[in-house]
């Protein structure tokens, strides 16, 4: 399960939270791979390709997540945070391509930024969605994730 299109498929089955968490795990894994590749001395081309993959995945994931959150009345602050993170990811990708990046420092920074986003934006948004679902009486799939 590593496609950012899983959100819509899982949503149809009532498992949106599981889909979002699986996609977060895929993004984390890709960022960790980037750090490992830097430590292993991968070429700039390989590192840039890894960042292309992260950016492409995140673009789709963020769009799908924002659509889901909009349907459930989340605010635009979350979307703004996505734009900032994508800008940072793209800046690192561009610096790799230009040979002016900070290596593992950049990789660690990206991973930390991603963890911060999950802790300060995604988890609160998912908790709010769970509350809404439970109030409506249809939150079984979201509740399993937050137990």
């Amino acid at each position: 399960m590593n496609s950012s299109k899983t959100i819509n498929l899982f949503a149809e089955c009532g498992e949106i939270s599981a889909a979002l968490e699986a996609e977060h795990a895929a993004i984390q894994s890709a960022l960790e791979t980037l750090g490992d590749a830097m430590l292993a001395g991968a070429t700039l081309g390989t590192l840039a390709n890894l960042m292309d993959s992260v950016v492409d995945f995140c673009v789709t994931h963020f769009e799908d997540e924002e659509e889901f959150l909009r349907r459930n009345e989340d605010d635009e602050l979350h979307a703004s945070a996505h734009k900032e993170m994508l800008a940072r990811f793209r800046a690192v990708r561009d610096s790799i391509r230009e040979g002016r990046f900070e290596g593992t420092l950049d990789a660690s920074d990206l991973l930390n930024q991603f963890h911060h986003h999950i802790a300060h934006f995604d988890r609160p948004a998912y908790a709010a969605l769970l509350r809404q679902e439970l109030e409506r009486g249809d939150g079984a799939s979201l509740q399993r994730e937050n137990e």
Side-chain angles (χ1 to χ4, degrees), residues 1-146:
M1 180 166 31
N2 60 4
S3 167
S4 61
K5 290 297 182 186
T6 56
I7 289 178
N8 292 329
L9 295 172
F10 275 68
E12 291 174 15
C13 300
E15 296 291 339
I16 187 68
S17 188
L20 293 171
E21 289 300 320
E23 291 186 6
H24 289 164
I27 294 166
Q28 177 169 323
S29 178
L31 292 172
E32 289 170 349
T33 298
L34 176 69
D36 292 344
M38 287 179 177
L39 287 173
T43 66
L44 292 178
T46 297
L47 298 176
N49 287 340
L50 283 169
M51 280 309 300
D52 282 340
S53 179
V54 170
V55 168
D56 291 346
F57 190 93
C58 285
V59 165
T60 305
H61 168 72
F62 292 162
E63 287 172 354
D64 290 345
E65 184 177 71
E66 289 167 21
E67 174 60 29
F68 174 74
L69 293 173
R70 263 192 303 277
R71 285 183 293 185
N72 290 281
E73 301 175 11
D74 195 46
D75 63 19
E76 289 300 310
L77 188 59
H78 199 136
S80 217
H82 284 160
K83 287 179 182 135
E84 288 177 28
M85 193 169 358
L86 273 175
R88 176 70 178 125
F89 287 5
R90 287 178 174 130
V92 168
R93 180 192 56 198
D94 294 345
S95 71
I96 289 170
R97 284 193 177 132
E98 296 166 5
R100 55 172 184 79
F101 68 102
E102 296 295 324
T104 55
L105 178 62
D106 276 345
S108 295
D109 183 48
L110 295 178
L111 192 55
N112 288 335
Q113 184 178 4
F114 181 66
H115 288 160
H116 179 270
H117 176 83
I118 289 173
H120 294 280
F121 290 95
D122 290 344
R123 290 193 199 281
Y126 297 173
L129 291 175
L130 174 61
R131 281 190 298 277
Q132 290 173 9
E133 295 291 316
L134 291 173
E135 287 171 2
R136 288 192 304 247
D138 58 353
S141 67
L142 284 172
Q143 186 174 16
R144 280 191 299 254
E145 180 64 33
N146 290 300

